[in-house]
Amino acid sequence: MQRISTAHPHALFDTAATRRIEAAAAAALPPHTLMQRAGRATARLALALAPHARTIWIACGGGNNGGDGLEAAMLLQRGGHPVVVTWLGTPDALPADARRSWQRAREAGVRFADAPPPLGPQDLCVDALLGIGLTAQARPQAPDPRLTAWLAHMHAGPAPTLCVDLPSGLIADTGQFAPGLAPAAAGAPAAARHTLALLTLKSGLFTGHGRDAAGSVWLDDLGVAAPAEAPGAWLAGPPPAATRAHASHKGSYGDVAIVGGEGLAARGMGMTGAALLAAGAALHGGAGRVMVALLDGGAATALPQQPELMLRRFDALALQQGTVVCGCGGGAAVAAVLPQVLREARRLVLDADALNAIAADPQLQRQLRERALRPDSATVLTPHPLEAARLLACDTAAVQADRLAAARALADRFGCAALLKGSGSVVATPGHPPRINPTGNALLATGGTGDVLAGLTGARLAAAAQADAAAAFDAASHACWLHGAAADQWPRGRALTASALAQALGHA
């Protein structure tokens, strides 16, 4: 058993692949072996999480996930630990292995109850209700009222929760809750949550609502050899450690040009802050030189707060050189420069207003797709869900319903790397399994942090040895990991602003 951390990449498998792996393992082992191993792993982790529990409540469903919980209950009862089981099943309807675990639990004297017992902060809930039985295509229309009541009790109660294989109600492949099974109480769970994934790690644990629902994630492979199945996705690991040669100079680390920051001086308005945040992130992210081309009609003549940044007119930029980050605060003005940017820039990060302009213009979309035909170009899109929906001509709900599919659709449609931001940001590129970013937290839910990510992505792309699809994919995923890690390292109790985040990138 291992606790999943952000320090290493991990293979992720969808429900269909997990079922194939499970079937192959079960066929090679004596009956009931996998369930016994799953119950043993659950009992062991339960005791590690709550060694002083006065009560361990195990909520069991009527299928094999419930069987895992019943097996754990039997082992805990035999060990003298106080166990109470609430159960949705009936003996006649149980699968063979689950029925055997039910019999073992009854023979061990496990206490079965109709309602959850009183619990305190030192106690433990074990969610063994549904597992991976839910899919986006087949969802329960009328959940058992006891199921929803027990899940609500876990969400709002003072005791931590251990989920067996998957938080009940969460769809393994998407990280979204099935209708009627989302927590009724608003906000994060009242107590800590943990998930013990069995056999494989599932993508839904790490994106969408998965991160809040799963909490800390553990994996037990149940003694089954590494699967021959190809992963459907990867949980991204950190970028490789970079060292700078002493005999190097600013030209060794690439130029980044930020194009954005529309100025509306006549109305006393402007959006130069977004461009400057991106520029600061590129600077602190290691770019050799950072230039800023503000689309403000020449209103800004100096950058006294960041003298390292170099102001340039857009028409003075050598777009073919270095990396262009286009869109941050560009407003309506960015549409006028996008045709040239798409045509000339070899390394390109498109964010915010640039994405909105492309979504509204079929000609710009065609230009973006044509970049994929050039072997010497690298392109990254960095949309949030609404911008992704505009690019895909759908709504935000459709994007969030399956974030991995949406990121893959963007990458395939435009032939580039797509970084779909959000809880568990997804990075996709054509022909490769997507990567889910494991770092970051709710401190990033503030204005400007997306501009910081765009600038950092530009710095990573500028430092790449070549301008190609692989470089774009790595730049996006590495920047995303570092961006989230900086937020994870931020002192507890202090607000994180985008400008502070940009400065913290040098320490992530």
Side-chain angles (χ1 to χ4, degrees), residues 439-463:
T439 64
N441 56 64
L443 289 174
L444 295 173
T446 186
T449 57
D451 303 303
V452 171
L453 178 57
L456 178 58
T457 304
R460 299 295 302 192
L461 188 55

Short mmCIF file of all heavy atoms in Angstrom, two decimals, residues 439-463:
data_model
loop_
_atom_site.label_atom_id
_atom_site.label_comp_id
_atom_site.label_asym_id
_atom_site.label_seq_id
_atom_site.Cartn_x
_atom_site.Cartn_y
_atom_site.Cartn_z
N THR A 439 -1.17 19.10 -8.20
CA THR A 439 -0.83 20.17 -7.26
C THR A 439 -1.86 21.29 -7.30
O THR A 439 -2.68 21.37 -8.20
CB THR A 439 0.57 20.74 -7.56
OG1 THR A 439 0.54 21.37 -8.86
CG2 THR A 439 1.64 19.67 -7.53
N GLY A 440 -1.77 22.19 -6.31
CA GLY A 440 -2.65 23.35 -6.27
C GLY A 440 -3.77 23.19 -5.27
O GLY A 440 -4.06 22.10 -4.79
N ASN A 441 -4.39 24.31 -4.93
CA ASN A 441 -5.47 24.32 -3.95
C ASN A 441 -6.34 25.54 -4.18
O ASN A 441 -6.14 26.30 -5.13
CB ASN A 441 -4.89 24.29 -2.52
CG ASN A 441 -3.92 25.46 -2.28
OD1 ASN A 441 -4.32 26.62 -2.32
ND2 ASN A 441 -2.65 25.14 -2.04
N ALA A 442 -7.30 25.76 -3.29
CA ALA A 442 -8.28 26.82 -3.48
C ALA A 442 -7.69 28.22 -3.36
O ALA A 442 -8.37 29.20 -3.70
CB ALA A 442 -9.43 26.64 -2.50
N LEU A 443 -6.47 28.36 -2.90
CA LEU A 443 -5.83 29.68 -2.89
C LEU A 443 -5.70 30.25 -4.30
O LEU A 443 -5.59 31.47 -4.48
CB LEU A 443 -4.46 29.60 -2.22
CG LEU A 443 -4.43 29.37 -0.71
CD1 LEU A 443 -2.99 29.18 -0.25
CD2 LEU A 443 -5.07 30.54 0.04
N LEU A 444 -5.70 29.37 -5.29
CA LEU A 444 -5.57 29.82 -6.68
C LEU A 444 -6.87 30.39 -7.23
O LEU A 444 -6.89 30.89 -8.36
CB LEU A 444 -5.10 28.66 -7.55
CG LEU A 444 -3.69 28.14 -7.25
CD1 LEU A 444 -3.40 26.88 -8.05
CD2 LEU A 444 -2.65 29.21 -7.55
N ALA A 445 -7.96 30.29 -6.46
CA ALA A 445 -9.25 30.81 -6.92
C ALA A 445 -9.33 32.31 -6.68
O ALA A 445 -10.11 32.80 -5.86
CB ALA A 445 -10.39 30.08 -6.20
N THR A 446 -8.49 33.05 -7.39
CA THR A 446 -8.46 34.50 -7.29
C THR A 446 -7.99 35.08 -8.61
O THR A 446 -7.28 34.40 -9.37
CB THR A 446 -7.55 34.95 -6.12
OG1 THR A 446 -7.63 36.36 -5.94
CG2 THR A 446 -6.09 34.58 -6.39
N GLY A 447 -8.39 36.30 -8.89
CA GLY A 447 -8.10 36.90 -10.18
C GLY A 447 -6.61 37.01 -10.47
O GLY A 447 -5.82 37.41 -9.60
N GLY A 448 -6.24 36.66 -11.69
CA GLY A 448 -4.87 36.84 -12.14
C GLY A 448 -4.01 35.60 -12.10
O GLY A 448 -2.95 35.55 -12.74
N THR A 449 -4.43 34.57 -11.36
CA THR A 449 -3.58 33.38 -11.28
C THR A 449 -3.50 32.65 -12.62
O THR A 449 -2.49 32.00 -12.91
CB THR A 449 -4.08 32.41 -10.19
OG1 THR A 449 -5.44 32.05 -10.46
CG2 THR A 449 -4.01 33.06 -8.81
N GLY A 450 -4.54 32.76 -13.45
CA GLY A 450 -4.47 32.18 -14.78
C GLY A 450 -3.47 32.89 -15.66
O GLY A 450 -2.78 32.26 -16.47
N ASP A 451 -3.35 34.21 -15.52
CA ASP A 451 -2.32 34.95 -16.26
C ASP A 451 -0.93 34.52 -15.83
O ASP A 451 -0.02 34.40 -16.66
CB ASP A 451 -2.51 36.46 -16.03
CG ASP A 451 -3.88 36.94 -16.43
OD1 ASP A 451 -4.26 36.74 -17.60
OD2 ASP A 451 -4.59 37.51 -15.58
N VAL A 452 -0.77 34.28 -14.53
CA VAL A 452 0.52 33.79 -14.03
C VAL A 452 0.85 32.44 -14.66
O VAL A 452 1.99 32.20 -15.08
CB VAL A 452 0.48 33.69 -12.49
CG1 VAL A 452 1.72 32.98 -11.95
CG2 VAL A 452 0.36 35.08 -11.87
N LEU A 453 -0.13 31.56 -14.75
CA LEU A 453 0.12 30.25 -15.37
C LEU A 453 0.50 30.39 -16.83
O LEU A 453 1.41 29.70 -17.32
CB LEU A 453 -1.12 29.37 -15.22
CG LEU A 453 -1.05 27.99 -15.86
CD1 LEU A 453 0.13 27.18 -15.33
CD2 LEU A 453 -2.36 27.23 -15.64
N ALA A 454 -0.15 31.29 -17.55
CA ALA A 454 0.19 31.49 -18.97
C ALA A 454 1.64 31.97 -19.11
O ALA A 454 2.39 31.49 -19.98
CB ALA A 454 -0.77 32.50 -19.60
N GLY A 455 2.05 32.92 -18.27
CA GLY A 455 3.42 33.42 -18.34
C GLY A 455 4.43 32.36 -18.00
O GLY A 455 5.49 32.25 -18.65
N LEU A 456 4.14 31.55 -16.98
CA LEU A 456 5.06 30.48 -16.60
C LEU A 456 5.15 29.43 -17.71
O LEU A 456 6.24 28.92 -18.00
CB LEU A 456 4.58 29.84 -15.30
CG LEU A 456 5.41 28.66 -14.78
CD1 LEU A 456 6.86 29.07 -14.55
CD2 LEU A 456 4.79 28.10 -13.51
N THR A 457 4.02 29.12 -18.34
CA THR A 457 4.04 28.18 -19.47
C THR A 457 4.93 28.72 -20.59
O THR A 457 5.69 27.97 -21.21
CB THR A 457 2.61 27.93 -19.99
OG1 THR A 457 1.80 27.46 -18.91
CG2 THR A 457 2.60 26.92 -21.12
N GLY A 458 4.84 30.02 -20.82
CA GLY A 458 5.71 30.63 -21.82
C GLY A 458 7.17 30.48 -21.48
O GLY A 458 8.01 30.18 -22.36
N ALA A 459 7.53 30.65 -20.21
CA ALA A 459 8.93 30.50 -19.80
C ALA A 459 9.40 29.07 -19.99
O ALA A 459 10.53 28.83 -20.45
CB ALA A 459 9.09 30.92 -18.34
N ARG A 460 8.55 28.09 -19.65
CA ARG A 460 8.94 26.70 -19.83
C ARG A 460 9.09 26.35 -21.30
O ARG A 460 10.00 25.61 -21.69
CB ARG A 460 7.90 25.77 -19.19
CG ARG A 460 7.70 25.94 -17.70
CD ARG A 460 8.90 25.58 -16.87
NE ARG A 460 9.35 24.22 -17.08
CZ ARG A 460 10.24 23.61 -16.29
NH1 ARG A 460 10.79 24.26 -15.27
NH2 ARG A 460 10.62 22.37 -16.53
N LEU A 461 8.21 26.89 -22.12
CA LEU A 461 8.29 26.62 -23.56
C LEU A 461 9.52 27.29 -24.17
O LEU A 461 10.18 26.73 -25.05
CB LEU A 461 7.01 27.10 -24.24
CG LEU A 461 6.83 26.74 -25.71
CD1 LEU A 461 6.95 25.23 -25.94
CD2 LEU A 461 5.49 27.24 -26.22
N ALA A 462 9.85 28.48 -23.69
CA ALA A 462 11.03 29.19 -24.20
C ALA A 462 12.32 28.43 -23.91
O ALA A 462 13.28 28.50 -24.69
CB ALA A 462 11.09 30.59 -23.59
N ALA A 463 12.34 27.70 -22.80
CA ALA A 463 13.56 26.99 -22.41
C ALA A 463 13.69 25.64 -23.10
O ALA A 463 14.74 24.99 -22.99
CB ALA A 463 13.56 26.78 -20.89
#
